Amino acid sequence: MTGGLLGLRSGSYGSLQHLQNGAFHPQPQFVGRKPSKMLPSGSREKERLLPYLFRFLSRRRVGMLILVGFAFLVFLSGFSTVSKACPVCYLPVEQAIASIPSSSSPSPLLKQLNYVHEENPIKTEPHGGSEFGGYPSLKQRNDSFDIKESMTVHCGFVTGSKPGHHTGFDIDEADLKELEQPHEVIVASAIFGNYDIIQQPRNVSEAARKNVPFYMFIDEETEAYMRNSSVLDSSKRVGLWRIILVHNIPYTDARRNGKIPKLLLHRIFPNVRFSIWIDGKLQLLVDPYQVLERFLWRQNASLAISRHYRRFDVFEEAEANKAAGKYDNVSIDYQIEFYKNEGLTPYSEAKLPITSDVPEGCVIVKEHIPITNLFTCLWFNEVDRFTSRDQLSFAIVRDKITSQVDWNISMFLDCERRNFVYQAYHRDLLEHMAPPPPVVHPPPRDVVIPGNRQGAVIPENVAGRTPARKNPPKRGRGERRSGSRRHRKVGPGFRDNNSI
């Protein structure tokens, strides 16, 4: 894998040591020493002066301000490190299109994948998932990891005649016919619970506009908001996005509902060859053909996903989820303990060439072949049975499959992901932000000043000047200048630190 360094863990799960050219280079450890008594006179003077200086600063309450400012600078430094996108080399669109593989990638061992259909699934175990998922038993779950040439597994949509038809996550018949059309490449996303604002893709080539459909799945709550705000009309289109309305969503948790199209695209699109999934808060910045060529075809991979920007270890990810209140602690602990009993271990150098156990799952680049479809089916089943935090279940599913067949997942750097998608804020954060300052337009090149001698035309460098005033009007305490830097802008130049 190019474009970055592999990392290995030191004493804690989250910290890394650099690995270059296949060899470890531990981080140097510095041992503090007492200052020498043999200091030059200037240094001794500085030592005597420092206590007085700090006493003065504390007396003036300046010391605290300096400390706060320093802490803020440290925070910004860490924020920019996490958020920064790194350079990625893309082929021109024409060459990327010419790179489309002429035949499907091999699916090791597994050739035929079928799905469980049952009109009235019955829950037989306390942690058996949902009706939408079919309540697979632990035995059925374990059997699904036994890779064979032909398999039948639970993969959502267990009721009804076909996915989207009386299964929960129901889709109008006209839209179902649209989704059944054959396509080489699609891009898909979803917004449930009116949680995000639709982001329009940029830098999309004419070839992609013509041949690559963009599908946005929304629920009825999101649709009502979009219609009331005149974003959506009868055309069912918002920019490049074709809107697909979903009825009877199976979960009360909008995030869990979002995992259905994210992980089960192959069931919703039975005749699609390649797909790019991006979360609803993301804006695609690079042509879909270029993304596929760079992260899938060039790597001879059939599934690609980015590594988490900071964490590599599932156990550390679980603690971070608990600390951030992403899910209730009891459910997270139960899931992690279950995986420990199945053999999941903290990330270490023993897992190389695997570089991480934790993905940043907001982008999935996939070829729809039996082995990748099986992986996302079983990943979804874990999300259905345990918590909706898919980062926690990614590694256990991957490891169980790769222990039996010669297949792996391409995990690229998170800074590479940030190169081709821009991460916007969720709607609730955007609505609480101050609006951007008004746009100040420059004066026209030639201005006719009324009352000027013979209506003379004043040149630009004179017309744009403002006469000086000796006593400018005073502003009230609550007023701001129109160009105040205190206004916060949200745009392509600002990166979100929250990638979870």
Side-chain angles (χ1 to χ4, degrees):
M1 183 178 296
T2 60
L5 297 176
L6 299 177
L8 295 177
R9 304 213 171 274
S10 62
S12 67
Y13 293 152
S15 59
L16 294 176
Q17 297 173 343
H18 291 296
L19 176 67
Q20 295 177 325
N21 300 324
F24 285 102
H25 298 275
Q27 299 294 330
Q29 298 181 353
F30 297 96
V31 180
R33 294 183 300 175
K34 295 182 179 180
S36 171
K37 296 182 180 180
M38 301 299 293
L39 295 174
S41 58
S43 299
R44 289 197 296 270
E45 291 295 330
K46 289 179 182 178
E47 283 190 333
R48 286 195 290 266
L49 181 61
L50 285 176
Y52 295 102
L53 178 61
F54 281 112
R55 188 181 304 170
F56 170 78
L57 290 177
S58 62
R59 184 182 302 133
R60 300 293 184 181
R61 296 185 177 179
V62 178
M64 184 59 68
L65 293 176
I66 292 176
L67 291 175
V68 170
F70 178 75
F72 183 68
L73 289 175
V74 171
F75 168 78
L76 288 180
S77 174
F79 179 83
S80 62
T81 302
V82 169
S83 303
K84 187 176 180 181
C86 52
V88 176
C89 178
Y90 302 102
L91 289 183
V93 174
E94 296 78 9
Q95 295 182 32
I97 295 174
S99 301
I100 299 177
S102 58
S103 59
S104 299
S105 300
S107 178
L109 188 56
L110 177 62
K111 306 302 178 186
Q112 182 67 39
L113 183 62
N114 304 305
Y115 309 107
V116 171
H117 174 266
E118 188 176 357
E119 284 300 329
N120 297 297
I122 299 175
K123 187 173 184 178
T124 59
E125 298 173 356
H127 297 280
S130 68
E131 181 179 1
F132 176 80
Y135 301 120
S137 66
L138 277 176
K139 182 180 185 307
Q140 290 171 322
R141 172 190 179 270
N142 295 336
D143 289 344
S144 67
F145 290 107
D146 184 14
I147 313 299
K148 302 175 182 177
E149 186 172 344
S150 179
M151 298 178 65
T152 300
V153 299
H154 286 80
C155 194
F157 302 105
V158 295
T159 63
S161 58
K162 59 182 179 180
H165 188 265
H166 301 302
T167 58
F169 204 85
D170 294 332
I171 299 171
D172 295 335
E173 195 63 37
D175 289 335
L176 280 177
K177 291 181 179 179
E178 165 74 19
L179 303 182
E180 291 170 356
Q181 297 301 310
H183 292 288
E184 192 86 8
V185 176
I186 66 160
V187 178
S189 186
I191 297 176
F192 294 132
N194 195 30
Y195 203 61
D196 293 297
I197 297 174
I198 290 182
Q199 307 292 324
Q200 286 302 321
R202 294 170 50 191
N203 305 313
V204 178
S205 66
E206 287 301 318
R209 289 174 181 270
K210 180 180 178 181
N211 299 310
V212 178
F214 291 71
Y215 294 104
M216 175 68 69
F217 294 88
I218 64 171
D219 58 2
E220 293 173 346
E221 178 184 353
T222 307
E223 187 220 18
Y225 178 89
M226 292 172 64
R227 289 198 181 279
N228 291 337
S229 57
S230 300
V231 174
L232 182 64
D233 56 26
S234 59
S235 69
K236 294 186 176 181
R237 285 197 167 274
V238 178
L240 282 178
W241 294 105
R242 169 73 153 81
I243 304 300
I244 305 295
L245 177 61
V246 179
H247 310 278
N248 303 322
I249 51 178
Y251 304 110
T252 57
D253 179 5
R255 291 182 182 272
R256 197 187 294 269
N257 286 315
K259 300 302 188 292
I260 296 173
K262 175 178 179 177
L263 300 179
L264 304 183
L265 276 181
H266 63 282
R267 300 222 61 192
I268 302 172
F269 297 93
N271 299 307
V272 162
R273 191 176 176 196
F274 299 99
S275 66
I276 299 174
W277 167 267
I278 62 174
D279 279 3
K281 64 185 175 182
L282 300 182
Q283 180 184 34
L284 186 65
L285 303 177
V286 175
D287 187 84
Y289 288 115
Q290 293 176 303
V291 173
L292 282 161
E293 188 282 327
R294 172 60 182 82
F295 295 102
L296 214 62
W297 306 332
R298 194 185 304 182
Q299 309 300 325
N300 292 320
S302 54
L303 195 146
I305 192 169
S306 67
R307 309 197 293 243
H308 195 277
Y309 67 95
R310 178 179 297 164
R311 292 181 288 277
F312 300 78
D313 183 87
V314 176
F315 298 89
E316 184 191 347
E317 177 66 16
E319 293 303 316
N321 275 253
K322 289 162 59 176
K326 297 291 185 179
Y327 213 87
D328 70 273
N329 291 3
V330 173
S331 298
I332 292 176
D333 288 340
Y334 174 82
Q335 182 176 6
I336 295 302
E337 190 65 26
F338 187 95
Y339 291 162
K340 282 177 64 177
N341 292 335
E342 288 198 317
L344 182 66
T345 58
Y347 183 83
S348 68
E349 67 273 17
K351 294 191 176 184
L352 288 172
I354 292 173
T355 55
S356 175
D357 282 347
V358 182
E360 179 51 72
C362 56
V363 172
I364 300 176
V365 188
K366 177 184 174 184
E367 180 180 5
H368 294 203
I369 58 175
I371 193 67
T372 61
N373 296 340
L374 175 67
F375 170 77
T376 52
C377 280
L378 302 188
W379 192 7
F380 173 81
N381 290 346
E382 297 299 292
V383 170
D384 183 54
R385 174 179 290 270
F386 297 106
T387 72
S388 62
R389 307 306 299 172
D390 53 25
Q391 293 99 329
L392 302 181
S393 50
F394 169 84
I396 194 74
V397 178
R398 177 202 62 194
D399 293 351
K400 283 178 174 290
I401 292 178
T402 57
S403 67
Q404 296 195 42
V405 295
D406 184 17
W407 175 80
N408 216 323
I409 296 169
S410 175
M411 297 189 74
F412 51 92
L413 296 173
D414 184 68
C415 67
E416 295 177 305
R417 174 188 67 85
R418 292 176 183 270
N419 179 281
F420 67 88
V421 290
Y422 164 66
Q423 189 161 310
Y425 288 100
H426 291 303
R427 179 187 298 281
D428 56 348
L429 291 176
L430 286 171
E431 290 176 347
H432 287 85
M433 286 182 178
V439 178
V440 179
H441 297 283
R445 292 187 175 277
D446 295 319
V447 181
V448 178
I449 306 298
N452 184 43
R453 181 164 46 91
Q454 296 180 353
V457 176
I458 309 300
E460 177 186 0
N461 60 347
V462 176
R465 297 175 184 172
T466 302
R469 288 181 292 186
K470 294 183 179 180
N471 298 313
K474 295 183 179 180
R475 296 184 178 84
R477 299 182 78 181
E479 294 181 28
R480 295 181 183 175
R481 299 182 182 181
S482 62
S484 172
R485 294 184 179 179
R486 295 174 64 186
H487 286 285
R488 193 172 182 180
K489 292 185 178 181
V490 178
F494 191 89
R495 300 282 179 177
D496 182 12
N497 190 28
N498 179 18
S499 358
I500 296 179

